[in-house]
Amino acid sequence: MELRNSQSKADVPPGNRYADIRQVTETRNEELRQTVERVQETVEDRREQAERIGRNIDSIELSDAARSVVDDASAQREERIEELRAAANDGSLFDRDRLARAAERLLAE
């Protein structure tokens, strides 16, 4: 709401200015309350939507075949790590031929 100022300040009695200011303030406060309520409702709606979506996509189940693939890959990775540790300990991990092959693979990609 806009404060009407058609008269000069000297012509308007102080009581009327106070009433106009109070009316504008109350109107603005009501508009702010309504805005806050709309924002709160929107936030609550979004929270509920997120919870519904989260419940739907937060779980996954692996088949027995998929579990065996994962287990096999984990076992192979562990074996490879042990091989590399042993090679690092005996010094064969960093020989020239091995480093040259690794560099060729990096440059080929």
Side-chain angles (χ1 to χ4, degrees), residues 38-94:
R38 282 194 306 269
V39 167
Q40 288 173 338
E41 289 171 3
T42 301
V43 166
E44 187 60 32
D45 290 345
R46 299 281 191 226
R47 184 177 296 131
E48 289 172 4
Q49 289 174 356
E51 286 176 6
R52 282 194 306 270
I53 291 170
R55 281 188 223 123
N56 292 335
I57 63 171
D58 281 350
S59 65
I60 185 171
E61 292 183 30
L62 294 177
S63 66
D64 292 335
R67 281 192 197 126
S68 68
V69 169
V70 170
D71 292 341
D72 290 345
S74 295
Q76 290 173 355
R77 184 176 44 236
E78 288 298 322
E79 289 174 15
R80 182 68 179 143
I81 289 171
E82 287 304 317
E83 289 173 9
L84 292 172
R85 279 189 185 137
N89 288 337
D90 68 15
S92 64
L93 181 65
F94 303 109

Side-chain angles (χ1 to χ4, degrees), residues 9 11 21 26 37 42-44 73-74 100:
K9 289 183 183 179
D11 295 339
I21 292 170
E26 287 174 359
E37 287 174 5
T42 301
V43 166
E44 187 60 32
S74 295

